[in-house]
Amino acid sequence: MDNIRMVALDLDGTTLDSQRRFSPRTIEAFRRAMERGVHIVISTGRVWCSLPSQMFDIEGLEYVITSNGASVTRLPEKERIFEKNLDPDAVRQVVDLVRNRDFSVDGFTDGQAYIDAAEYEDIQRNGSTYRDAEYVLSTRKPVDNIYDFMLQNRDHIENISLNFRTDEEKDAFRPEIEAVPGITLTSSWHNNFEIGGPDTSKADALHYLMGRLDIHKSQLMACGDSPNDLKMMKLAGIGVAMGNASDAMKKEADYVTDTNNEDGVAKAIERFVLRQDSK
Protein backbone atom coordinates (compact mmCIF):
# COMPACT_ATOMS: atom_id res chain seq x y z
CA MET A 1 0.00 0.00 0.00
CA ASP A 2 1.36 3.40 -1.02
CA ASN A 3 1.24 6.29 1.40
CA ILE A 4 -2.15 7.94 1.14
CA ARG A 5 -1.86 11.46 -0.30
CA MET A 6 -5.56 12.20 -0.89
CA VAL A 7 -8.71 11.35 1.05
CA ALA A 8 -12.04 11.77 -0.75
CA LEU A 9 -15.07 12.00 1.53
CA ASP A 10 -18.78 11.93 0.93
CA LEU A 11 -20.73 14.14 3.34
CA ASP A 12 -24.22 12.87 4.24
CA GLY A 13 -24.19 9.49 5.93
CA THR A 14 -20.38 9.50 5.82
CA THR A 15 -18.39 12.45 7.19
CA LEU A 16 -21.34 14.29 8.73
CA ASP A 17 -23.13 12.75 11.68
CA SER A 18 -26.91 12.49 11.88
CA GLN A 19 -27.03 16.14 13.02
CA ARG A 20 -25.15 17.07 9.83
CA ARG A 21 -22.07 18.13 11.79
CA PHE A 22 -18.35 17.38 11.58
CA SER A 23 -17.36 15.86 14.91
CA PRO A 24 -14.35 17.22 16.85
CA ARG A 25 -12.52 13.93 16.27
CA THR A 26 -13.09 14.18 12.52
CA ILE A 27 -11.81 17.76 12.37
CA GLU A 28 -8.74 16.75 14.39
CA ALA A 29 -8.07 13.84 12.03
CA PHE A 30 -8.30 16.28 9.10
CA ARG A 31 -5.82 18.63 10.77
CA ARG A 32 -3.27 15.92 11.47
CA ALA A 33 -3.56 14.46 7.97
CA MET A 34 -3.21 17.86 6.31
CA GLU A 35 -0.11 18.57 8.41
CA ARG A 36 1.41 15.59 6.59
CA GLY A 37 0.55 17.08 3.21
CA VAL A 38 -2.52 14.93 2.61
CA HIS A 39 -5.31 16.52 0.55
CA ILE A 40 -8.74 16.16 2.19
CA VAL A 41 -11.30 16.45 -0.61
CA ILE A 42 -15.01 16.78 0.16
CA SER A 43 -16.82 14.83 -2.58
CA THR A 44 -20.58 15.19 -2.32
CA GLY A 45 -23.81 15.00 -4.24
CA ARG A 46 -24.76 18.33 -2.69
CA VAL A 47 -24.74 21.45 -4.82
CA TRP A 48 -22.40 24.28 -3.76
CA CYS A 49 -25.08 26.33 -1.99
CA SER A 50 -26.02 23.33 0.16
CA LEU A 51 -22.56 22.77 1.62
CA PRO A 52 -22.57 22.95 5.44
CA SER A 53 -21.31 26.28 6.78
CA GLN A 54 -19.11 24.44 9.29
CA MET A 55 -17.02 23.13 6.40
CA PHE A 56 -15.82 26.62 5.53
CA ASP A 57 -14.41 27.03 9.03
CA ILE A 58 -12.07 24.04 8.70
CA GLU A 59 -8.64 25.43 7.93
CA GLY A 60 -6.62 23.76 5.21
CA LEU A 61 -9.39 22.33 3.04
CA GLU A 62 -8.47 23.07 -0.57
CA TYR A 63 -10.93 21.35 -2.90
CA VAL A 64 -14.57 20.34 -2.92
CA ILE A 65 -16.39 18.21 -5.51
CA THR A 66 -20.10 18.98 -5.75
CA SER A 67 -23.17 17.75 -7.65
CA ASN A 68 -21.80 14.20 -7.87
CA GLY A 69 -18.73 15.30 -9.79
CA ALA A 70 -20.20 17.99 -12.03
CA SER A 71 -17.99 20.65 -10.44
CA VAL A 72 -14.65 20.97 -8.66
CA THR A 73 -13.95 24.19 -6.73
CA ARG A 74 -10.80 25.48 -5.05
CA LEU A 75 -12.02 26.63 -1.67
CA PRO A 76 -9.56 29.42 -0.83
CA GLU A 77 -10.52 31.44 -3.91
CA LYS A 78 -13.96 29.82 -4.44
CA GLU A 79 -12.74 29.24 -7.99
CA ARG A 80 -14.45 26.59 -10.09
CA ILE A 81 -11.68 24.67 -11.87
CA PHE A 82 -13.69 21.82 -13.42
CA GLU A 83 -17.22 21.66 -14.76
CA LYS A 84 -19.23 18.98 -16.56
CA ASN A 85 -22.94 19.68 -17.06
CA LEU A 86 -25.72 17.67 -18.63
CA ASP A 87 -26.15 17.89 -22.38
CA PRO A 88 -28.97 20.37 -23.15
CA ASP A 89 -30.86 17.77 -25.20
CA ALA A 90 -30.71 15.32 -22.29
CA VAL A 91 -32.20 18.02 -20.03
CA ARG A 92 -35.05 18.45 -22.51
CA GLN A 93 -35.72 14.70 -22.64
CA VAL A 94 -35.72 14.34 -18.87
CA VAL A 95 -38.08 17.30 -18.48
CA ASP A 96 -40.42 15.86 -21.12
CA LEU A 97 -40.43 12.56 -19.25
CA VAL A 98 -41.14 13.88 -15.75
CA ARG A 99 -43.18 17.04 -16.39
CA ASN A 100 -46.59 15.41 -15.90
CA ARG A 101 -45.54 13.00 -13.14
CA ASP A 102 -46.18 13.56 -9.47
CA PHE A 103 -42.49 13.49 -8.55
CA SER A 104 -40.48 15.84 -6.39
CA VAL A 105 -37.92 17.43 -8.73
CA ASP A 106 -34.85 19.57 -7.98
CA GLY A 107 -32.66 21.24 -10.60
CA PHE A 108 -29.05 22.23 -9.88
CA THR A 109 -27.41 25.02 -11.85
CA ASP A 110 -24.49 27.36 -11.20
CA GLY A 111 -24.06 26.07 -7.65
CA GLN A 112 -27.68 26.58 -6.61
CA ALA A 113 -30.55 24.10 -6.09
CA TYR A 114 -34.06 24.97 -7.26
CA ILE A 115 -37.50 23.48 -6.60
CA ASP A 116 -41.00 24.24 -7.85
CA ALA A 117 -42.61 27.00 -5.81
CA ALA A 118 -45.86 25.04 -5.35
CA GLU A 119 -43.96 22.13 -3.80
CA TYR A 120 -41.83 24.44 -1.67
CA GLU A 121 -44.94 26.13 -0.27
CA ASP A 122 -46.62 22.78 0.36
CA ILE A 123 -43.60 21.59 2.35
CA GLN A 124 -43.64 24.85 4.30
CA ARG A 125 -47.27 24.25 5.26
CA ASN A 126 -47.41 20.50 5.65
CA GLY A 127 -43.89 19.13 5.87
CA SER A 128 -43.03 15.99 3.92
CA THR A 129 -43.36 12.29 4.60
CA TYR A 130 -40.48 11.30 2.31
CA ARG A 131 -38.08 14.27 2.22
CA ASP A 132 -36.26 16.15 5.00
CA ALA A 133 -38.44 19.25 5.09
CA GLU A 134 -35.98 21.38 7.05
CA TYR A 135 -33.14 20.54 4.67
CA VAL A 136 -35.25 21.23 1.57
CA LEU A 137 -36.48 24.59 2.85
CA SER A 138 -32.99 25.71 3.86
CA THR A 139 -31.17 24.66 0.67
CA ARG A 140 -33.65 25.04 -2.22
CA LYS A 141 -34.81 28.19 -3.98
CA PRO A 142 -38.40 28.16 -5.26
CA VAL A 143 -39.16 29.03 -8.91
CA ASP A 144 -42.54 29.40 -10.58
CA ASN A 145 -42.17 26.31 -12.77
CA ILE A 146 -39.22 24.00 -12.21
CA TYR A 147 -39.60 22.35 -15.64
CA ASP A 148 -39.63 25.60 -17.60
CA PHE A 149 -36.78 26.84 -15.42
CA MET A 150 -34.60 23.85 -16.28
CA LEU A 151 -35.34 24.24 -19.98
CA GLN A 152 -34.43 27.94 -19.82
CA ASN A 153 -31.14 26.99 -18.13
CA ARG A 154 -30.53 23.73 -20.02
CA ASP A 155 -26.99 24.77 -21.03
CA HIS A 156 -25.94 24.95 -17.35
CA ILE A 157 -27.72 22.11 -15.52
CA GLU A 158 -25.32 20.26 -13.21
CA ASN A 159 -27.74 17.68 -11.89
CA ILE A 160 -31.44 16.80 -11.75
CA SER A 161 -32.74 15.05 -8.64
CA LEU A 162 -35.95 13.02 -8.64
CA ASN A 163 -37.41 12.08 -5.26
CA PHE A 164 -40.01 9.33 -4.87
CA ARG A 165 -42.57 8.60 -2.17
CA THR A 166 -41.79 4.89 -2.19
CA ASP A 167 -39.07 2.55 -3.38
CA GLU A 168 -41.69 0.80 -5.53
CA GLU A 169 -42.47 4.06 -7.34
CA LYS A 170 -38.75 4.58 -7.97
CA ASP A 171 -38.24 1.03 -9.24
CA ALA A 172 -41.22 1.30 -11.61
CA PHE A 173 -39.80 4.47 -13.14
CA ARG A 174 -36.25 3.15 -13.54
CA PRO A 175 -36.64 1.62 -17.05
CA GLU A 176 -38.05 4.87 -18.42
CA ILE A 177 -35.30 7.12 -17.08
CA GLU A 178 -32.57 4.62 -17.99
CA ALA A 179 -33.74 4.80 -21.60
CA VAL A 180 -32.75 8.47 -21.85
CA PRO A 181 -29.42 8.60 -23.73
CA GLY A 182 -26.43 10.61 -22.56
CA ILE A 183 -27.05 10.61 -18.81
CA THR A 184 -25.55 9.07 -15.69
CA LEU A 185 -28.02 7.72 -13.15
CA THR A 186 -27.14 7.26 -9.49
CA SER A 187 -28.62 7.63 -5.99
CA SER A 188 -27.59 9.17 -2.70
CA TRP A 189 -30.74 8.04 -0.86
CA HIS A 190 -32.83 4.90 -1.21
CA ASN A 191 -35.74 6.84 -2.72
CA ASN A 192 -34.06 9.17 -5.23
CA PHE A 193 -32.40 9.27 -8.63
CA GLU A 194 -29.68 11.81 -9.38
CA ILE A 195 -29.13 12.52 -13.06
CA GLY A 196 -25.82 13.84 -14.37
CA GLY A 197 -23.96 14.03 -17.66
CA PRO A 198 -22.86 10.94 -19.61
CA ASP A 199 -19.62 10.42 -17.67
CA THR A 200 -20.24 12.61 -14.63
CA SER A 201 -19.24 10.99 -11.36
CA LYS A 202 -17.26 11.69 -8.24
CA ALA A 203 -14.62 9.33 -9.65
CA ASP A 204 -14.29 11.32 -12.87
CA ALA A 205 -13.84 14.58 -10.94
CA LEU A 206 -11.29 12.93 -8.67
CA HIS A 207 -9.39 11.60 -11.69
CA TYR A 208 -9.11 15.19 -12.95
CA LEU A 209 -7.96 16.43 -9.54
CA MET A 210 -5.42 13.65 -9.09
CA GLY A 211 -3.95 14.51 -12.48
CA ARG A 212 -3.67 18.14 -11.44
CA LEU A 213 -1.90 17.18 -8.20
CA ASP A 214 0.14 14.24 -9.59
CA ILE A 215 -1.47 11.68 -7.31
CA HIS A 216 -1.83 8.02 -8.30
CA LYS A 217 -5.04 6.14 -7.52
CA SER A 218 -3.08 3.87 -5.19
CA GLN A 219 -2.50 6.99 -3.07
CA LEU A 220 -6.23 7.72 -2.77
CA MET A 221 -8.57 6.66 0.03
CA ALA A 222 -12.29 7.23 -0.52
CA CYS A 223 -15.10 6.89 2.04
CA GLY A 224 -18.79 6.61 1.28
CA ASP A 225 -22.12 5.02 2.10
CA SER A 226 -24.34 5.27 -1.00
CA PRO A 227 -24.38 4.18 -4.66
CA ASN A 228 -23.16 7.60 -5.83
CA ASP A 229 -19.94 6.87 -3.88
CA LEU A 230 -19.26 3.49 -5.44
CA LYS A 231 -17.20 4.61 -8.45
CA MET A 232 -14.87 6.72 -6.35
CA MET A 233 -14.47 3.88 -3.85
CA LYS A 234 -13.51 1.54 -6.71
CA LEU A 235 -11.10 4.13 -8.11
CA ALA A 236 -9.27 4.43 -4.81
CA GLY A 237 -6.42 2.30 -3.57
CA ILE A 238 -8.47 1.97 -0.39
CA GLY A 239 -12.25 2.11 -0.71
CA VAL A 240 -13.92 2.50 2.68
CA ALA A 241 -17.60 1.83 3.35
CA MET A 242 -19.31 3.22 6.40
CA GLY A 243 -20.79 0.96 9.04
CA ASN A 244 -24.20 2.42 8.18
CA ALA A 245 -23.84 1.60 4.46
CA SER A 246 -25.87 -1.17 2.85
CA ASP A 247 -24.53 -4.71 2.73
CA ALA A 248 -24.11 -4.32 -1.03
CA MET A 249 -21.85 -1.30 -0.56
CA LYS A 250 -19.86 -3.04 2.16
CA LYS A 251 -19.18 -5.98 -0.15
CA GLU A 252 -17.59 -3.61 -2.67
CA ALA A 253 -15.29 -1.98 -0.09
CA ASP A 254 -11.72 -2.80 0.85
CA TYR A 255 -12.49 -1.88 4.44
CA VAL A 256 -15.59 -1.21 6.53
CA THR A 257 -15.26 1.43 9.24
CA ASP A 258 -17.71 2.46 11.96
CA THR A 259 -20.86 4.47 11.28
CA ASN A 260 -21.04 8.20 10.64
CA ASN A 261 -22.27 8.63 14.23
CA GLU A 262 -19.27 6.73 15.58
CA ASP A 263 -16.49 8.77 13.94
CA GLY A 264 -16.07 6.20 11.17
CA VAL A 265 -14.25 8.62 8.85
CA ALA A 266 -11.88 9.80 11.58
CA LYS A 267 -11.08 6.19 12.46
CA ALA A 268 -10.34 5.35 8.80
CA ILE A 269 -7.99 8.35 8.52
CA GLU A 270 -6.28 7.37 11.75
CA ARG A 271 -5.80 3.80 10.53
CA PHE A 272 -4.71 4.30 6.92
CA VAL A 273 -3.23 7.82 6.87
CA LEU A 274 -1.92 8.40 10.36
CA ARG A 275 -1.12 4.68 10.79
CA GLN A 276 -2.39 4.40 14.34
CA ASP A 277 -4.78 2.04 16.03
CA SER A 278 -8.29 3.45 16.30
CA LYS A 279 -10.80 2.64 19.01
Side-chain angles (χ1 to χ4, degrees), residues 3-177:
N3 288 331
I4 298 300
R5 296 179 54 209
M6 178 180 287
V7 178
L9 301 171
D10 173 53
L11 283 179
D12 297 287
T14 301
T15 310
L16 301 179
D17 62 22
S18 58
Q19 302 301 311
R20 294 200 173 99
R21 300 283 297 174
F22 294 89
S23 75
R25 183 169 178 175
T26 297
I27 294 173
E28 176 63 12
F30 284 5
R31 184 190 66 78
R32 293 176 62 198
M34 290 186 291
E35 282 181 348
R36 300 186 180 201
V38 176
H39 300 277
I40 303 295
V41 180
I42 301 301
S43 186
T44 179
R46 293 191 185 205
V47 70
W48 173 266
C49 75
S50 302
L51 294 171
S53 58
Q54 186 188 14
M55 190 196 79
F56 295 93
D57 295 329
I58 300 175
E59 293 185 10
L61 292 181
E62 299 171 273
Y63 300 98
V64 59
I65 295 168
T66 51
S67 296
N68 285 326
S71 180
V72 180
T73 301
R74 258 191 61 82
L75 282 175
E77 303 86 4
K78 294 184 173 58
E79 175 193 4
R80 188 176 298 182
I81 59 174
F82 175 91
E83 185 174 15
K84 188 171 286 188
N85 295 323
L86 278 97
D87 182 83
D89 190 58
V91 175
R92 181 188 59 77
Q93 292 187 63
V94 172
V95 168
D96 287 347
L97 190 60
V98 302
R99 184 187 284 272
N100 295 314
R101 310 293 185 102
D102 188 24
F103 299 156
S104 175
V105 180
D106 302 330
F108 297 178
T109 179
D110 292 331
Q112 178 66 58
Y114 295 87
I115 192 171
D116 195 271
E119 182 180 2
Y120 187 91
E121 292 163 5
D122 181 67
I123 292 174
Q124 276 185 316
R125 291 192 301 268
N126 304 310
S128 176
T129 59
Y130 64 103
R131 299 196 67 181
D132 184 327
E134 181 181 353
Y135 180 72
V136 171
L137 296 175
S138 65
T139 61
R140 270 55 177 158
K141 283 189 175 182
V143 292
D144 286 340
N145 186 305
I146 187 63
Y147 308 107
D148 290 347
F149 176 84
M150 288 192 292
L151 291 178
Q152 292 162 6
N153 292 275
R154 60 186 176 274
D155 292 330
H156 307 285
I157 297 294
E158 299 173 15
N159 188 282
I160 298 172
S161 177
L162 309 179
N163 304 276
F164 301 87
R165 288 175 173 80
T166 66
D167 293 349
E168 292 76 16
E169 184 182 47
K170 174 185 172 181
D171 291 342
F173 187 64
R174 181 186 292 273
E176 294 183 67
I177 193 64

Side-chain angles (χ1 to χ4, degrees), residues 24 28 42 61 97 123 131 143 148 178 187 190 192 203 206 223 227 229 272 275:
E28 176 63 12
I42 301 301
L61 292 181
L97 190 60
I123 292 174
R131 299 196 67 181
V143 292
D148 290 347
E178 286 183 335
S187 300
H190 69 92
N192 86 333
L206 282 167
C223 302
D229 303 316
F272 293 108
R275 304 294 182 93

Side-chain angles (χ1 to χ4, degrees), residues 6 8 41 43 65 69 72 82 84 199 201-218 220 231-232 235-236:
M6 178 180 287
V41 180
S43 186
I65 295 168
V72 180
F82 175 91
K84 188 171 286 188
D199 55 358
S201 69
K202 296 180 181 183
D204 187 61
L206 282 167
H207 190 268
Y208 161 80
L209 197 52
M210 288 189 295
R212 179 183 174 104
L213 299 173
D214 193 26
I215 292 173
H216 189 267
K217 63 182 182 180
S218 64
L220 172 69
K231 286 185 178 180
M232 75 170 183
L235 173 68

